[in-house]
Amino acid sequence: CPDLNGELHEFGSHWRNADCYDCFCSGNGINCCSSFPTPVGYDEEKCVKIFSKETCAYKVVEKDDHSKECRVHEWVG
């Protein structure tokens, strides 16, 4: 199975791509899904979500002070 970057993967193989999606190669092609939940229940006027490719996770922090985390009420994924 060739991925979007042209790299070939064997049938039945699993991998995590550079965008933190878990992928699987089958006879039907490549299927990928997110390996991380996305924050949706937080104060969007005061806070911002930041994604880290190193940890494959979102962090929600205050827009004016990224050292202060915001409370998240709901995550989807």
Side-chain angles (χ1 to χ4, degrees):
C1 299
D3 64 20
L4 294 176
N5 298 322
E7 185 176 340
L8 293 176
H9 300 272
E10 291 186 25
F11 287 116
S13 64
H14 296 263
W15 68 97
R16 181 167 287 174
N17 69 18
D19 295 319
C20 298
Y21 283 81
D22 291 328
C23 300
F24 174 73
C25 173
S26 71
N28 295 326
I30 294 177
N31 293 306
C32 297
C33 61
S34 65
S35 63
F36 51 88
T38 302
V40 293
Y42 63 93
D43 184 346
E44 293 186 34
E45 292 197 18
K46 180 181 173 186
C47 305
V48 62
K49 64 183 176 184
I50 299 173
F51 187 75
S52 167
K53 285 190 178 182
E54 281 114 37
T55 62
C56 291
Y58 276 104
K59 187 176 184 179
V60 181
V61 295
E62 290 186 8
K63 289 179 181 178
D64 297 333
D65 185 352
H66 286 192
S67 69
K68 294 182 181 176
E69 290 195 37
C70 295
R71 186 172 181 194
V72 179
H73 303 282
E74 187 177 355
W75 296 80
V76 295

